[in-house]
Tab-separated table of all heavy atoms in Angstrom:
chain	number	residue	atom	x	y	z
W	229	LEU	N	144.043	167.412	119.212
W	229	LEU	CA	143.733	166.133	118.660
W	229	LEU	C	142.324	165.977	118.131
W	229	LEU	O	141.868	164.867	117.791
W	229	LEU	CB	144.072	164.962	119.664
W	229	LEU	CG	145.562	164.705	119.924
W	229	LEU	CD1	145.723	163.597	120.936
W	229	LEU	CD2	146.198	164.299	118.597
W	230	SER	N	141.567	167.054	118.125
W	230	SER	CA	140.224	167.019	117.589
W	230	SER	C	140.173	166.930	116.032
W	230	SER	O	140.994	167.467	115.397
W	230	SER	CB	139.440	168.290	118.014
W	230	SER	OG	138.221	168.375	117.366
W	231	GLN	N	139.275	166.223	115.556
W	231	GLN	CA	139.068	166.058	114.131
W	231	GLN	C	138.291	167.225	113.506
W	231	GLN	O	138.082	167.303	112.380
W	231	GLN	CB	138.445	164.771	113.777
W	231	GLN	CG	139.290	163.577	114.070
W	231	GLN	CD	140.646	163.706	113.363
W	231	GLN	OE1	140.790	163.803	112.158
W	231	GLN	NE2	141.717	163.654	114.133
W	232	LEU	N	137.778	168.152	114.432
W	232	LEU	CA	136.933	169.229	113.979
W	232	LEU	C	137.782	170.464	113.998
W	232	LEU	O	138.217	171.039	115.020
W	232	LEU	CB	135.720	169.463	114.950
W	232	LEU	CG	134.714	170.461	114.473
W	232	LEU	CD1	134.158	170.244	113.120
W	232	LEU	CD2	133.600	170.585	115.475
W	233	SER	N	138.137	170.924	112.748
W	233	SER	CA	138.854	172.187	112.523
W	233	SER	C	138.349	172.813	111.176
W	233	SER	O	137.793	172.097	110.386
W	233	SER	CB	140.356	171.939	112.545
W	233	SER	OG	140.715	171.106	111.491
W	234	THR	N	138.638	174.034	111.007
W	234	THR	CA	138.270	174.744	109.768
W	234	THR	C	139.189	175.905	109.512
W	234	THR	O	139.812	176.414	110.509
W	234	THR	CB	136.823	175.194	109.846
W	234	THR	OG1	136.499	175.857	108.635
W	234	THR	CG2	136.606	176.198	110.999
W	235	THR	N	139.322	176.326	108.246
W	235	THR	CA	139.971	177.492	107.906
W	235	THR	C	139.054	178.713	107.719
W	235	THR	O	139.486	179.790	107.387
W	235	THR	CB	140.794	177.293	106.581
W	235	THR	OG1	139.825	176.946	105.584
W	235	THR	CG2	141.855	176.160	106.661
W	236	GLU	N	137.751	178.503	108.042
W	236	GLU	CA	136.768	179.520	107.961
W	236	GLU	C	136.319	179.941	109.380
W	236	GLU	O	135.710	179.234	110.068
W	236	GLU	CB	135.549	179.027	107.115
W	236	GLU	CG	135.834	178.630	105.642
W	236	GLU	CD	136.332	179.843	104.916
W	236	GLU	OE1	135.583	180.834	104.965
W	236	GLU	OE2	137.296	179.701	104.216
W	237	ARG	N	136.600	181.194	109.721
W	237	ARG	CA	136.299	181.707	111.019
W	237	ARG	C	134.864	181.646	111.335
W	237	ARG	O	134.358	181.260	112.355
W	237	ARG	CB	136.785	183.177	111.216
W	237	ARG	CG	136.417	183.722	112.570
W	237	ARG	CD	136.804	185.152	112.845
W	237	ARG	NE	138.221	185.288	112.872
W	237	ARG	CZ	139.001	185.079	113.993
W	237	ARG	NH1	138.393	184.692	115.060
W	237	ARG	NH2	140.282	185.298	114.000
W	238	ASN	N	134.018	182.114	110.411
W	238	ASN	CA	132.537	182.031	110.568
W	238	ASN	C	132.054	180.637	110.822
W	238	ASN	O	131.099	180.433	111.600
W	238	ASN	CB	131.724	182.828	109.423
W	238	ASN	CG	131.969	182.008	108.107
W	238	ASN	OD1	132.946	181.330	107.855
W	238	ASN	ND2	131.016	182.293	107.255
W	239	GLN	N	132.588	179.615	110.235
W	239	GLN	CA	132.247	178.209	110.395
W	239	GLN	C	132.639	177.814	111.857
W	239	GLN	O	131.827	177.192	112.528
W	239	GLN	CB	132.835	177.357	109.421
W	239	GLN	CG	132.542	175.890	109.557
W	239	GLN	CD	131.067	175.579	109.010
W	239	GLN	OE1	130.333	176.353	108.517
W	239	GLN	NE2	130.679	174.299	109.207
W	240	ALA	N	133.764	178.219	112.286
W	240	ALA	CA	134.146	177.886	113.665
W	240	ALA	C	133.240	178.572	114.675
W	240	ALA	O	132.835	177.945	115.639
W	240	ALA	CB	135.574	178.300	113.836
W	241	GLU	N	132.903	179.874	114.481
W	241	GLU	CA	132.090	180.487	115.358
W	241	GLU	C	130.617	179.932	115.389
W	241	GLU	O	129.923	180.021	116.408
W	241	GLU	CB	131.993	181.974	115.058
W	241	GLU	CG	133.327	182.684	115.355
W	241	GLU	CD	133.365	184.094	114.768
W	241	GLU	OE1	132.525	184.512	113.980
W	241	GLU	OE2	134.351	184.791	115.128
W	242	THR	N	130.193	179.347	114.352
W	242	THR	CA	128.918	178.713	114.219
W	242	THR	C	128.824	177.404	114.812
W	242	THR	O	127.860	177.151	115.552
W	242	THR	CB	128.417	178.577	112.745
W	242	THR	OG1	128.449	180.018	112.245
W	242	THR	CG2	127.076	178.056	112.682
Side-chain angles (χ1 to χ4, degrees):
L229 288 179
S230 172
Q231 293 302 304
L232 185 60
S233 63
T234 182
T235 58
E236 298 295 312
R237 178 183 291 280
N238 62 337
Q239 181 74 4
E241 290 170 350
T242 301

